[in-house]
């Protein structure tokens, strides 16, 4: 595995260099372990590389991957009401918090033109797609490159399935690291948490919480204040994710 070993937050110049290197490897068929603010993640682009993620993680084929997104990708790709767009904008733009959204996607959109069927099949569920939004500077750089090149990046948390999200590269299982093509160490993730969960996931339309993730209580309070939306409290026992 190639390693970018910074062990800290990179400078803007370092981040730009790292993003280009990561994107080039993923675009050409590699699998990469990437530090996002919400957790370390494992992502790819091609159908074979996406399948490798499932093999590396021992992930159930019933669970779809997420897709790296940003505000522009969300606006163009996800079929959401204006009310849902306002809600998402409030969380990720006005309050600068990470959020994953699940909603119907536009299968004929130009953004998906380079996506192989196998990769898309693993990264959608019926007519819906899960976009990870606003998960840090490196995530944002990769999202912009992804949109510009019409090269969606798809993946999941960087860990063996059902072991909880990892917030430092050193905590990721050796077998996951060994089977990846590039790994990036930026130290501990910004939103590391005791629940070992990544981003909060909200379903468009129903406003149903699909995962009680990081920053959930902040998002809950914001949506109650700004939209009079009463989301349930984080469960104190049982699963925190419905996906």
């Amino acid at each position: 595995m190639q390693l970018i070993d910074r062990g800290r937050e990179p400078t803007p110049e370092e981040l730009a260099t790292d993003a280009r290197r990561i994107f080039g490897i993923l675009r050409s068929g590699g699998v990469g372990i990437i530090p996002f603010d919400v957790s370390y993640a494992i992502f790819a682009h091609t159908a074979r590389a996406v399948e490798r993620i499932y093999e590396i993680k021992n992930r159930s084929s019933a669970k779809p991957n997420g897709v790296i997104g940003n505000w522009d990708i969300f606006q163009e790709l996800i079929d959401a009401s204006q009310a849902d767009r306002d809600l998402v904008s409030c969380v990720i733009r006005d309050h600068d918090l990470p959020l994953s959204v699940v909603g119907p996607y536009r299968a004929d959109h130009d953004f998906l033109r380079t996506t192989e069927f196998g990769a898309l099949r693993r990264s959608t569920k019926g007519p819906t797609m899960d976009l990870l939004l606003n998960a840090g500077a490196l995530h944002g750089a990769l999202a912009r490159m992804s949109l510009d090149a019409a090269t969606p990046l798809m993946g999941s948390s960087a860990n063996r399935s059902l072991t909880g999200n990892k917030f430092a590269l050193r905590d990721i299982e050796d077998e996951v690291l060994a089977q990846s093509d590039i790994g990036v160490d930026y130290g501990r993730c910004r939103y590391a948490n005791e629940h070992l969960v990544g981003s909060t996931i909200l379903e468009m339309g129903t406003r149903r919480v699909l995962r009680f993730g990081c920053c959930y209580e902040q998002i809950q309070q914001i949506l109650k204040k700004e939209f009079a939306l009463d989301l349930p409290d984080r469960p104190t026992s049982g699963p925190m994710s419905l996906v």
Side-chain angles (χ1 to χ4, degrees):
M1 180 185 73
Q2 299 181 41
L3 178 62
I4 299 175
D5 185 11
R6 301 203 184 279
R8 53 166 173 78
E9 184 176 340
T11 66
E13 294 77 15
E14 289 171 338
L15 188 141
T17 297
D18 295 348
R20 287 192 296 269
R21 183 174 170 188
I22 295 162
F23 186 75
I25 288 173
L26 301 192
R27 189 179 190 182
S28 63
V31 171
I33 294 177
I34 311 167
F36 295 151
D37 280 1
V38 295
S39 78
Y40 275 74
I42 184 167
F43 270 77
H45 168 64
T46 66
R48 177 59 195 133
V50 168
E51 285 298 323
R52 283 177 57 202
I53 290 176
Y54 280 82
E55 295 164 6
I56 291 168
K57 285 173 56 75
N58 193 29
R59 182 173 173 83
S60 167
S61 61
K63 294 183 176 181
N65 288 312
V67 179
I68 290 178
N70 59 17
W71 175 247
D72 291 335
I73 294 172
F74 168 70
Q75 283 272 74
E76 294 185 21
L77 191 64
I78 301 299
D79 187 11
S81 68
Q82 186 58 52
D84 280 342
R85 294 179 191 281
D86 292 344
L87 183 152
V88 172
S89 179
C90 180
V91 173
I92 71 169
R93 302 170 83 193
D94 298 344
H95 293 274
D96 194 26
L97 292 174
L99 180 68
S100 285
V101 298
V102 170
Y105 72 98
R106 296 166 183 162
D108 60 349
H109 195 281
D110 194 50
F111 177 62
L112 301 175
R113 70 173 184 267
T114 68
T115 308
E116 297 170 335
F117 171 75
L120 187 62
R121 176 177 64 90
R122 288 295 202 190
S123 306
T124 54
K125 187 173 183 179
T128 66
M129 179 179 287
D130 178 345
L131 285 185
L132 172 60
L133 307 171
N134 199 38
L138 182 57
H139 173 273
L142 291 171
R144 289 189 296 273
M145 297 170 75
S146 173
L147 179 58
D148 290 344
T151 304
L153 303 177
M154 296 153 280
S156 176
S157 56
N159 52 268
R160 295 285 284 179
S161 190
L162 304 179
T163 64
N165 287 46
K166 303 298 189 286
F167 304 113
L169 190 74
R170 65 178 179 273
D171 294 333
I172 299 170
E173 298 90 345
D174 289 341
E175 59 268 34
V176 174
L177 294 171
Q179 297 180 76
S180 302
D181 299 299
I182 186 169
V184 184
D185 186 353
Y186 281 1
R188 191 160 175 80
C189 298
R190 178 179 181 182
Y191 295 119
N193 59 84
E194 62 182 321
H195 306 293
L196 303 182
V197 290
S199 59
T200 290
I201 304 178
L202 196 63
E203 186 175 58
M204 299 290 90
T206 66
R207 311 292 183 69
R208 186 167 60 124
V209 180
L210 300 182
R211 182 166 68 202
F212 296 85
C214 64
C215 306
Y216 178 72
E217 285 73 20
Q218 292 169 267
I219 293 169
Q220 182 188 37
Q221 292 174 12
I222 289 165
L223 298 187
K224 182 175 180 61
K225 178 181 178 182
E226 302 290 339
F227 298 91
L229 178 60
D230 287 313
L231 296 180
D233 291 337
R234 185 192 297 269
T236 56
S237 62
M240 293 191 185
S241 176
L242 301 179
V243 295

